[in-house]
Amino acid sequence: MIDVIVAGGGPTGLWLASELRLHGVHALVLDKDAEPTRIVRALGLFARSIEIMDQRGLLERFLAVGQKYPLGGFFAGIRKPAPDRLDTAHAYVLGIPQPIIDRLLAEHAAEAGAEIRRGCELTGLSQDEDGVTAELANGTLLRSRYLVGCDGGRSTVRKLLGIGFPGEPTRVETLLGEMEVTADPATVAEVNAEVRKTQLRFGAMPLGDGAYRVGVPAAGVAEDRTVPPTLEEFRQQLRAVAGTDFGAHSPRWLSRFGDATRLAERYRAGRVLLAGDAAHIHPPVGGQGLNLGIQDAFNLGWKLAAEVGGWAPEGLLDSYPTERRPVAADVLDYTRAQMELLSLEPGPQAVRRLVSQLMDFEDVNRYLIERTTAIGIRYDFGEGPELLGRRLRDVGLKRGRLYELMRAGRGLLLDQTGRLSAAGWADRVDHVVDVSEELDAPAALLRPDGHVAWVGEDQQDLLSQMPKWFGAAVS
Ligand SMILES: Cc1cc2nc3c(=O)[nH]c(=O)nc-3n(C[C@H](O)[C@H](O)[C@H](O)COP(=O)(O)OP(=O)(O)OC[C@H]3O[C@@H](n4cnc5c(N)ncnc54)[C@H](O)[C@@H]3O)c2cc1C
């Protein structure tokens, strides 16, 4: 019996598998494609995802392949510099094409001991009290204790579970690809600037190696959007929209994407859960989808590991949908708002001007950037101090940095008083007695995903909260 089958080896599934492995859980990742895709969808990581990589010791790997960009300009593409003193050590965007992000995550998952099987499509699913039976396209049956559908927006797992995916369908489609052109760079830049005055879904971005990333509105919505456009279809649309096809040739890849916005009705059905695009989709404006999926996996990993490990308190696994579904609903709304502001109709353009003026108020700009980067998320852990439910930023300690102490994926009691004890949970929670000039609290209990589960200095109060997240004490 496998502990957890992860259906889908995109960023969400790979990160989930790595998190499960931290706790010794046997994780098998299945992906239908024999090879990772070359299609470049996401272009980078925002602060919270960068922090997560830091919390697991991967920051250097990502920095080595990424390019740091300023954080301003992401909300509906409205260009405003980010405010000073954001509540993160990573106030930048780390530009990395998605296939490279996916490769780093796959390498990390494999190093952590996850088994990744490519060319394995999940086609069937059933579950009983003890586990899940997954059927693959070649007829193989696999049995696991849990299964997580990280199989993207067209999720087979979600459909097999019969979980609804309400929202708005694709109304406009965009063709996207990387290709070479015969037109000279100055002409491409000139046409790009001119067309974008009236068509924000058009763009021709030089990749620095002679090729371009080109996006152009499609003529309509294709009947089967899994079929990539042909070069001829692409060139025809370029001529229709930009008046020239730039002599486009030798495409590296061509694809199409829509603007559907949908949220799964449920994230869990018994022993099967959903995460990432399988649970939520939205247009790429604002650049949050991949980040959201990694953060889903970070929330789910330790909880599912606790369940498999037998120490999960009642309700811990259900806190995954309770915490993460509202976050996705917020991102969907945030994206809907941005899509409205991209419209060139006079009404939305007037609202865009107004929002742009409002962003000159630092608090407004800060609020938007905290939503884009996900550093402002606060889970509802009940009444309590401001820090409760938020993730704690990296803070300096006498012995180093907080995030360096979180790599094992365990809970952490950061104790500035030296008077507290988490002795009954020593196998699940590290007790760090140290001080930080940046932490304005006597002590904080962090979950493995870095969210603050308790703040205070009273031992009895701490003891009343520990079982809620870490189960029973052992003597
Ligand atoms: C044009 C574009 C630009 C984007 N830009 C950004 C950006 O800048 N920032 C950002 O954060 N996000 C961006 N996104 C969104 C991002 O690409 C996705 O949110 C992200 O890839 C979701 O990751 P995932 O692992 O959940 O799903 P996916 O990446 O879709 O991975 C799902 C995996 O499941 C596999 N699979 C599917 N069905 C099965 C099955 N039945 N059995 C086994 N395996 C299966 C697939 O082969 C695939 O490998 C963009 C998206 C698009 C389209």
Side-chain angles (χ1 to χ4, degrees):
M1 176 93 114
I2 299 157
D3 288 334
V4 179
I5 292 177
V6 178
T12 306
L14 292 167
W15 190 245
L16 177 64
S18 301
E19 285 295 293
L20 291 168
R21 287 302 304 146
L22 276 179
H23 302 272
V25 172
H26 176 198
L28 169 64
V29 180
L30 305 171
D31 199 286
K32 69 175 171 47
D33 292 345
E35 297 290 333
T37 180
R38 298 176 61 204
I39 295 175
V40 183
R41 291 179 288 163
L43 293 174
L45 298 180
F46 284 126
R48 183 60 193 137
S49 304
I50 302 169
E51 289 180 348
I52 286 172
M53 296 306 134
D54 193 13
Q55 283 170 337
R56 295 298 184 254
L58 295 178
L59 181 62
E60 296 307 321
R61 287 190 201 184
F62 279 83
L63 289 178
V65 296
Q67 173 92 33
K68 289 184 183 178
Y69 295 103
L71 204 41
F74 281 88
F75 183 76
I78 298 173
R79 302 238 159 252
K80 299 278 171 174
D84 294 336
R85 299 184 312 282
L86 279 176
D87 181 34
T88 177
H90 303 284
Y92 54 87
V93 178
L94 191 58
I96 312 176
Q98 184 166 342
I100 298 179
I101 297 176
D102 291 358
R103 175 172 58 76
L104 292 185
L105 295 178
E107 285 170 7
H108 174 62
E111 285 164 16
E115 193 184 336
I116 303 172
R117 283 190 215 160
R118 295 203 146 273
C120 290
E121 181 178 2
L122 180 137
T123 52
L125 190 61
S126 64
Q127 57 175 319
D128 53 45
E129 266 181 24
D130 304 318
V132 184
T133 304
E135 184 175 354
L136 306 189
N138 65 6
T140 305
L141 294 180
L142 297 168
R143 186 93 175 130
S144 63
R145 296 177 66 186
Y146 288 90
L147 186 143
V148 186
C150 301
D151 49 346
R154 299 188 176 94
S155 172
T156 303
V157 173
R158 189 188 64 236
K159 289 173 192 159
L160 289 170
L161 292 173
I163 293 181
F165 204 34
E168 300 90 71
T170 281
R171 283 172 286 222
V172 291
E173 186 175 282
T174 306
L175 308 183
L176 183 69
E178 283 182 5
M179 60 204 69
E180 291 173 34
V181 299
T182 54
D184 64 276
T187 307
V188 180
E190 207 175 293
V191 173
N192 185 48
E194 191 54 35
V195 178
R196 282 185 59 83
K197 284 182 189 161
T198 52
Q199 180 47 270
L200 292 171
R201 283 166 49 225
F202 173 84
M205 184 180 91
L207 293 171
D209 59 1
Y212 282 79
R213 177 178 170 100
V214 184
V216 63
V221 175
E223 215 160 280
D224 181 356
R225 302 215 338 277
T226 61
V227 179
T230 61
L231 179 61
E232 193 38 47
E233 183 183 350
F234 214 106
R235 290 173 56 140
Q236 201 177 320
Q237 274 314 105
L238 284 173
R239 289 192 293 269
V241 174
T244 167
D245 62 16
F246 303 116
H249 65 96
S250 313
R252 292 175 182 170
W253 52 264
L254 299 171
S255 73
R256 55 178 99 232
F257 67 90
D259 64 342
T261 305
R262 296 179 181 278
L263 179 64
E265 269 168 352
R266 289 182 293 147
Y267 277 24
R268 179 179 180 188
R271 293 179 168 272
V272 185
L273 299 108
L274 299 175
D277 275 17
H280 41 72
I281 53 167
H282 59 82
V285 57
Q288 282 183 268
L290 176 146
N291 288 268
L292 190 59
I294 286 178
Q295 291 156 29
D296 283 348
F298 203 50
N299 184 289
L300 175 58
W302 68 279
K303 296 173 181 174
L304 193 49
E307 200 68 42
V308 171
W311 58 266
E314 182 79 26
L316 184 70
L317 194 53
D318 280 328
S319 73
Y320 162 66
T322 307
E323 290 170 4
R324 293 304 297 174
R325 197 170 170 277
V327 169
D330 271 1
V331 171
L332 263 51
D333 262 358
Y334 193 60
T335 309
R336 285 185 181 104
Q338 295 180 70
M339 287 300 281
E340 285 300 308
L341 298 182
L342 292 185
S343 159
L344 293 164
E345 293 295 317
Q349 280 295 303
V351 181
R352 186 182 175 92
R353 282 191 292 278
L354 182 64
V355 172
S356 174
Q357 288 158 4
L358 290 173
M359 284 170 73
D360 289 335
F361 292 95
E362 192 183 300
D363 280 356
V364 175
N365 198 10
R366 183 179 302 279
Y367 170 81
L368 293 174
I369 288 199
E370 286 186 353
R371 276 186 78 163
T372 296
T373 56
I375 60 173
I377 289 172
R378 185 179 191 203
Y379 298 139
D380 182 6
F381 294 171
E383 291 286 302
E386 172 59 22
L387 266 182
L388 189 69
R390 293 185 185 278
R391 70 54 168 131
L392 190 60
R393 66 170 289 167
D394 192 21
V395 295
L397 301 169
K398 280 202 171 148
R399 73 176 67 173
R401 296 191 295 119
L402 173 66
Y403 281 11
E404 285 170 349
L405 304 179
M406 300 182 71
R407 296 186 177 167
R410 293 147 55 85
L412 189 147
L413 175 63
L414 179 53
D415 177 6
Q416 303 204 85
T417 71
R419 285 184 273 104
L420 296 168
S421 167
W425 292 270
D427 55 335
R428 285 151 279 170
V429 179
D430 295 324
H431 183 187
V432 175
V433 178
D434 206 330
V435 289
S436 170
E437 288 176 3
E438 298 161 83
L439 180 62
D440 186 19
L445 175 66
L446 305 184
R447 306 192 314 186
D449 62 356
H451 280 259
V452 178
W454 172 83
V455 179
E457 54 187 328
D458 181 77
Q459 177 68 22
Q460 288 312 314
D461 192 31
L462 171 65
L463 290 179
S464 74
Q465 291 302 309
M466 291 291 285
K468 180 175 168 193
W469 301 110
F470 298 106
V474 288
S475 49

